[in-house]
Amino acid sequence: KNEVEQSPQNLTAQEGEFITINCSYSVGISALHWLQQHPGGGIVSLFMLSSGKKKHGRLIATINIQEKHSSLHITASHPRDSAVYICAVGGGADGLTFGKGTHLIIQP
Amino acid sequence: NAGVMQNPRHLVRRRGQEARLRCSPMKGHSHVYWYRQLPEEGLKFMVYLQKENIIDESGMPKERFSAEFPKEGPSILRIQQVVRGDSAAYFCASSPGRSNQPQHFGDGTRLSIL
């Protein structure tokens, strides 16, 4: 059974700061997902990656398969980025295993 | 192209009643997953279904919970004789099933048990 650990659990930063959220997992995987959840809201899939790096707007996700580690970066952070960011592992046809999430607050 | 549709968004039940949660996958998606998010806890996998088949139900509680994905119509997660501990957000996701395609999530059903 894969164990997924995220850090930090909570993060408060000022608008404009560069944000990094980390995710480690214990067992080799076919894919890793980064998800975003706003309070009381639905879940949005930000990235699915199995190697290297992906970029979408101000968001960047990287993964190191050998080290079983992934990072999510947010450049030029904005208050609307405030949300819970969740790391999950599993392939497209498998149920996902989730980290506990990182609660991010960006203050104006 | 509509996304994953879940209904109702909010459901209130009294202890002992039945709760039925519905999920219509994205068009072209034949794989459905149910996840549960208990208050102050992370998401947990419950069950994975394809049309008319339960593929993996290792995350389902052994009693009172059942799921189906019939040939026609939405996937249904059914909870019988609900208890206070069933209060949670239940999320459905769908995928086309290919390993390089992500799962797409619905907005969830918030179940409250009085």
Side-chain angles (χ1 to χ4, degrees):
Chain A
K1 185 178 188 280
N2 221 331
E3 301 289 334
V4 181
E5 298 287 337
Q6 278 187 244
S7 63
Q9 190 173 347
N10 296 286
L11 178 58
T12 300
Q14 295 298 121
E15 184 174 356
E17 286 189 39
F18 181 83
I19 303 299
T20 296
I21 299 170
N22 296 299
C23 175
S24 297
Y25 50 94
S26 57
V27 178
I29 58 170
S30 55
L32 182 141
H33 306 252
W34 282 103
L35 310 169
Q36 180 193 56
Q37 184 178 27
H38 285 283
I43 295 170
V44 175
S45 179
L46 298 174
F47 295 103
M48 175 181 173
L49 64 166
S50 53
S51 65
K53 175 179 173 179
K54 286 191 177 181
K55 185 175 188 292
H56 185 250
R58 295 180 294 106
L59 300 177
I60 303 166
T62 64
I63 188 168
N64 184 319
I65 297 295
Q66 287 73 30
E67 294 186 5
K68 298 186 178 64
H69 180 270
S70 175
S71 293
L72 176 69
H73 305 285
I74 305 174
T75 61
S77 59
H78 190 276
R80 65 175 174 266
D81 297 326
S82 298
V84 177
Y85 291 85
I86 304 168
C87 171
V89 298
D94 297 325
L96 298 175
T97 301
F98 301 85
K100 285 186 171 21
T102 295
H103 294 248
L104 174 65
I105 297 174
I106 304 296
Q107 295 177 334
Chain B
N1 187 16
V4 178
M5 304 300 292
Q6 288 189 249
N7 68 82
R9 286 294 306 276
H10 301 273
L11 181 62
V12 179
R13 286 286 178 266
R14 296 188 181 280
R15 282 179 293 171
Q17 291 185 321
E18 178 180 288
R20 283 187 179 232
L21 289 62
R22 294 174 185 77
C23 170
S24 296
M26 282 183 72
K27 188 176 180 181
H29 287 191
S30 56
H31 297 238
V32 166
Y33 314 81
W34 285 95
Y35 299 98
R36 179 165 68 172
Q37 187 174 42
L38 291 165
E40 306 305 319
E41 291 189 23
L43 286 151
K44 295 282 195 301
F45 167 77
M46 298 183 76
V47 62
Y48 162 37
L49 311 104
Q50 295 178 28
K51 286 281 188 184
E52 300 184 279
N53 282 304
I54 297 174
I55 307 302
D56 181 355
E57 57 181 349
S58 58
M60 287 278 270
K62 293 288 182 272
E63 297 177 348
R64 303 186 297 107
F65 284 71
S66 62
E68 62 176 7
F69 188 16
K71 188 175 178 182
E72 301 290 337
S75 175
I76 306 286
L77 179 66
R78 182 180 177 209
I79 311 172
Q80 294 178 289
Q81 299 175 329
V82 296
V83 301
R84 288 246 171 90
D86 297 332
S87 295
Y90 292 82
F91 288 92
C92 169
S94 72
S95 83
R98 293 183 292 279
S99 60
N100 63 345
Q101 295 294 320
Q103 295 178 20
H104 295 258
F105 286 80
D107 287 337
T109 293
R110 271 79 182 167
L111 175 65
S112 298
I113 309 301
L114 301 179

